[in-house]
Amino acid sequence: MKHILRIFSGYWLMFIILVGFTYAMVMANLWLPDKMSEIVNNGIIKQDMPAIWHNGLAMILVTAAGGLCSIVIGFLASRIATGMAQKLRTELFERVESFALADFNKFSTASLITRSTNDIQQIQMTSILLLRLALMAPIMAIGGLQKAIHNAPNLSWIIALAVSVLLVVIAILFVIAVPRFKKLQTLVDKLNLVTRENLVGLKVIRAFHNEKIEQKKFQQANTELNKMNLFVNRLMMLLDPIMTLVMNFSSVAIVWFGAHLISSGNLQIGNMMAFLEYAMQVIISFLLLSMVFIMVPRAAVSVKRVGEVLDTLPSIIDPQSPQQLPNDATGKIEFKDVTFTYPDADLPVLSSINFTAEPGQTTAFIGSTGSGKSTLINLIPRFYDVSAGQILLDRVDIRQLKLEDLYDQIGYVPQKGVLFSGTIASNIKYGNAKASQKLVEKSAKIAQATEFINELKNGYKNDIAQGGSNVSGGQRQRLSIARAIAVEPNVYIFDDSFSALDFKTDAKLRSALAKETKHKTVLIVGQRINTIMNADKIIVLDEGKIVGQGTHQELMKNCQVYQEIAASQLSEDDLQKMSATTAKGAA
Ligand SMILES: Nc1ncnc2c1ncn2[C@@H]1O[C@H](COP(=O)(O)OP(=O)(O)OP(=O)(O)O)[C@@H](O)[C@H]1O
């Protein structure tokens, strides 16, 4: 709630104006029945035409003023509520953007989407309702009650009875509906999750012909949501006939008992008519107030869900007193006794990792799947922080650096090429907005992307669709590599980033890259030995531990895990050729 109040405080002036107009509108509405009473008592009964004209004209003017106030209230309420919703959405988006990967795991992606769309929509709708009704209803109820009692005190019990019946009905609805509101939002989350999974995995679903199963899953989530929506809406709809009944019975009772009072000379017709109107105003006010009471808990669920995201502080942030990298920073990376455990996991994925990646050298990582290669290199851009030990960049602990300074040093190429909607050029410049066209073209050239870019109708200005879906996997990888080169970093991280390239392109790219990265620190995760065997240093991982470090030749001699990987990937012929080369090198 503190976030809502904080954002709301920016609209205090509009709110004060809204309160003023609300007061004026209610006063206008409360003034009208008295005038009508005067028309009946003094104009119609006493046949005083000027009184009818005079009061009638005044009523028209006041009605027009009340209508005008209502329009202004509607306008201000919408401005405040939609402005608050926009601000909330922005804050939520910025907070989610600042999350470390560990923070994301606290919420599912689907839930984050529901929270920033559906939940905020819910808050917006309730805010409009609150601003329009929650202020008006109490003033109208109290004012109407006062006026009604003033006009016909003997009939006041009818209002008390009608309001009591309404309150009992609303209390029952409240108790049944409120717990369902929370469930409703969770079901929207679930539907989003199924939809998202289906859209992302569409190709796989088709290929395995699992449309029926997926449709069933979706149907189930959809039906559950539908049932809950139906239940809640039906419950709320009950209010309508009950309210009509209460209002009609109240009118009949007022006319019935009022007629008796009139015939006994204790009440004038005009006062009874005014009482009737005031009674309706009071009943409607209570009804509006109760609607607000029902809507508020529903929005409160959404406020809580949005608040949970806003209250989650990003776990990886700039240090309080950041250190500077030395002026002669070269991109040397040192892992010192690094251990890492994923949040919520029991056992470490990496333990006692010690190595140095020198500038001007390529350090490669190899190991069976799940041995921790990606996890290890993901620690360098601080996607996660180490659980123990230290990672140093040019002798400075990376946690002591400003995140911006750290990212400026790193050119990261993920396993799966990710592009953003825009153009080829905007994607290459993604990490370095100031990159000149010359640098963009040079980066594309090294990444072996020039050939296919030149074939495109608009070249570098060619559109890239959302997620890069209009380019092939290999082209996406090449553009991701160009994007990293355009940053001109000191440290390159390639997380198995060459897997979608054909043999010829791979060779050309590596040779061009070698020239560009001559003085840089290059870290490569590879699945296949022949893609990393020329590295200056190969680090062999097994179950999160380093089991070998050295060149290909050294490891072939003294690292059993490496030998096993080599035996499983290379033919007898290759191995013999390699050992001959090794022997020659040794001699
Ligand atoms: N977000 C995560 N939360 C919990 N455990 C994870 C997470 N990501 C990976 N792991 C676990 O950490 C271990 C190492 O995974 P990692 O992706 O680093 O291996 P890898 O060597 O890169 O594998 P591959 O070659 O298949 O990509 C695996 O057992 C994996 O299940």
Side-chain angles (χ1 to χ4, degrees):
M1 196 62 201
K2 62 175 191 273
H3 298 289
I4 303 287
L5 291 177
R6 177 176 47 77
I7 293 176
F8 180 67
S9 64
Y11 293 92
W12 65 270
L13 191 62
M14 272 197 202
F15 180 67
I16 288 174
I17 299 172
L18 182 134
V19 173
F21 275 96
T22 305
Y23 187 76
M25 187 187 77
V26 175
M27 287 304 126
N29 286 344
L30 288 174
W31 188 80
L32 289 172
D34 268 347
K35 280 289 135 188
M36 188 194 63
S37 167
E38 269 182 46
I39 290 179
V40 175
N41 290 344
N42 302 331
I44 300 175
I45 295 177
K46 294 182 186 164
Q47 306 241 316
D48 180 355
M49 274 316 276
I52 296 177
W53 275 109
H54 182 251
N55 284 319
L57 202 66
M59 279 181 81
I60 292 173
L61 290 177
V62 171
T63 307
L68 201 71
C69 287
S70 173
I71 293 172
V72 177
I73 293 166
F75 175 78
L76 289 174
S78 308
R79 277 297 291 270
I80 298 175
T82 53
M84 280 172 60
Q86 187 191 16
K87 202 141 196 266
L88 259 184
R89 267 193 297 270
T90 310
E91 285 193 10
L92 204 76
F93 180 76
E94 283 172 0
R95 177 49 52 93
V96 172
E97 280 246 305
S98 70
F99 277 174
L101 292 188
D103 308 325
F104 270 111
N105 296 343
K106 292 185 193 148
F107 312 93
S108 70
T109 313
S111 179
L112 284 174
I113 294 172
T114 317
R115 285 169 206 240
S116 43
T117 51
N118 188 296
D119 279 305
I120 293 186
Q121 183 73 14
Q122 209 60 255
I123 296 172
Q124 177 181 310
M125 270 163 49
T126 310
S127 303
I128 294 185
L129 206 72
L130 277 175
L131 291 166
R132 295 187 65 172
L133 305 180
L135 278 173
M136 183 191 91
I139 314 177
M140 202 158 100
I142 295 169
L145 211 55
Q146 259 180 359
K147 295 263 189 184
I149 294 170
H150 177 74
N151 272 284
N154 295 341
L155 296 177
S156 312
W157 63 270
I158 299 175
I159 300 182
L161 186 67
V163 168
S164 309
V165 172
L166 263 184
L167 287 183
V168 169
V169 172
I170 286 158
I172 295 171
L173 292 185
F174 189 82
V175 170
I176 303 175
V178 169
R180 260 92 181 168
F181 291 143
K182 193 163 182 189
K183 185 93 189 50
L184 209 60
Q185 290 311 100
T186 324
L187 289 175
V188 176
D189 267 359
K190 201 169 155 192
L191 189 75
N192 262 349
L193 183 88
V194 179
T195 312
R196 197 174 172 276
E197 206 171 60
N198 266 272
L199 294 180
V200 174
L202 202 64
K203 282 189 202 157
V204 181
I205 296 169
R206 290 264 161 83
F208 288 90
H209 195 45
N210 263 354
E211 290 95 336
K212 285 265 163 357
I213 294 174
E214 292 303 323
Q215 272 167 16
K216 222 164 139 191
K217 265 199 231 165
F218 181 83
Q219 206 62 38
Q220 201 179 341
N222 203 5
T223 311
E224 264 182 77
L225 178 64
N226 186 33
K227 270 190 192 155
M228 189 56 77
N229 257 329
L230 262 182
F231 183 84
V232 172
N233 281 321
R234 278 181 186 151
L235 208 62
M236 292 300 128
M237 283 303 119
L238 269 183
L239 259 183
D240 212 27
I242 292 175
M243 141 128 180
T244 315
L245 264 181
V246 170
M247 281 178 49
N248 288 347
F249 270 116
S250 307
S251 306
V252 171
I254 290 167
V255 173
W256 177 273
F257 291 102
H260 280 87
L261 288 173
I262 291 167
S263 67
S264 62
N266 288 325
L267 190 67
Q268 285 196 301
I269 292 185
N271 292 77
M272 189 201 72
M273 288 174 71
F275 182 89
L276 188 67
E277 286 225 12
Y278 286 126
M280 291 306 122
Q281 284 186 359
V282 174
I283 294 172
I284 289 174
S285 305
F286 271 90
L287 193 92
L288 293 180
L289 264 184
S290 45
M291 262 169 68
V292 169
F293 276 116
I294 289 177
M295 286 298 283
V296 165
R298 181 165 193 181
V301 173
S302 295
V303 169
K304 189 162 169 264
R305 283 161 53 91
V306 171
E308 277 167 1
V309 182
L310 292 178
D311 286 337
T312 305
L313 297 176
S315 53
I316 294 181
I317 48 170
D318 282 337
Q320 278 195 335
S321 27
Q323 286 185 24
Q324 297 283 330
L325 280 169
N327 287 337
D328 59 344
T330 48
K332 179 173 169 178
I333 299 272
E334 284 169 87
F335 271 58
K336 286 195 164 171
D337 235 352
V338 168
T339 295
F340 175 72
T341 312
Y342 275 108
D344 303 330
D346 297 329
L347 295 171
V349 176
L350 296 171
S351 25
S352 308
I353 303 290
N354 286 291
F355 72 89
T356 305
E358 299 284 350
Q361 288 194 355
T362 297
T363 307
F365 301 87
I366 196 158
S368 53
T369 57
S371 56
K373 306 180 291 291
S374 297
T375 305
L376 188 150
I377 54 162
N378 282 345
L379 296 177
I380 302 171
R382 290 189 72 194
F383 293 155
Y384 293 96
D385 266 343
V386 297
S387 311
Q390 263 188 317
I391 300 174
L392 306 179
L393 171 63
D394 289 308
R395 302 182 301 284
V396 183
D397 188 321
I398 54 171
R399 287 168 297 187
Q400 300 307 323
L401 288 170
K402 269 172 83 173
L403 289 170
E404 201 185 331
D405 291 346
L406 174 66
Y407 298 150
D408 278 349
Q409 297 296 313
I410 297 173
Y412 174 76
V413 187
Q415 221 165 26
K416 198 169 156 248
V418 177
L419 299 180
F420 298 92
S421 39
T423 60
I424 297 234
S426 75
N427 269 284
I428 297 179
K429 285 162 84 165
Y430 193 77
N432 177 8
K434 290 190 194 124
S436 62
Q437 183 60 21
K438 207 169 143 205
L439 178 58
V440 168
E441 286 175 19
K442 181 183 134 191
S443 309
K445 195 168 171 210
I446 297 169
Q448 306 304 307
T450 318
E451 216 172 287
F452 87 84
I453 294 174
N454 288 342
E455 275 171 22
L456 297 171
K457 201 170 115 211
N458 300 318
Y460 286 88
K461 291 200 179 113
N462 212 75
D463 282 337
I464 292 288
Q466 191 195 14
S469 55
N470 59 344
V471 286
S472 77
Q475 290 166 344
R476 245 195 322 267
Q477 268 196 345
R478 279 180 270 172
L479 289 178
S480 305
I481 294 169
R483 177 174 60 198
I485 297 169
V487 176
E488 299 190 300
N490 275 332
V491 181
Y492 280 92
I493 299 178
F494 297 102
D495 185 359
D496 197 16
S497 326
F498 306 108
S499 56
L501 305 181
D502 60 84
F503 187 72
K504 205 170 120 205
T505 313
D506 187 327
K508 273 162 67 181
L509 196 152
R510 278 168 195 269
S511 128
L513 201 59
K515 284 183 210 137
E516 175 66 20
T517 59
K518 202 150 60 184
H519 305 293
K520 315 285 169 127
T521 306
V522 179
L523 301 151
I524 296 183
V525 166
Q527 298 285 354
R528 305 202 57 81
I529 279 200
N530 49 17
T531 62
I532 50 112
M533 58 192 280
N534 294 324
D536 302 287
K537 185 190 280 180
I538 300 170
I539 292 174
V540 188
L541 284 172
D542 190 34
E543 294 184 0
K545 292 193 180 66
I546 295 183
V547 291
Q549 241 183 96
T551 59
H552 169 75
Q553 284 78 9
E554 286 162 0
L555 291 169
M556 281 306 282
K557 266 198 246 156
N558 58 28
C559 178
Q560 197 193 343
V561 176
Y562 191 77
Q563 287 161 7
E564 281 167 10
I565 298 173
S568 67
Q569 291 184 3
L570 303 172
S571 65
E572 270 302 311
D573 214 22
D574 289 335
L575 285 172
Q576 268 169 14
K577 266 190 223 153
M578 273 178 200
S579 55
T581 326
T582 313
K584 223 175 172 180

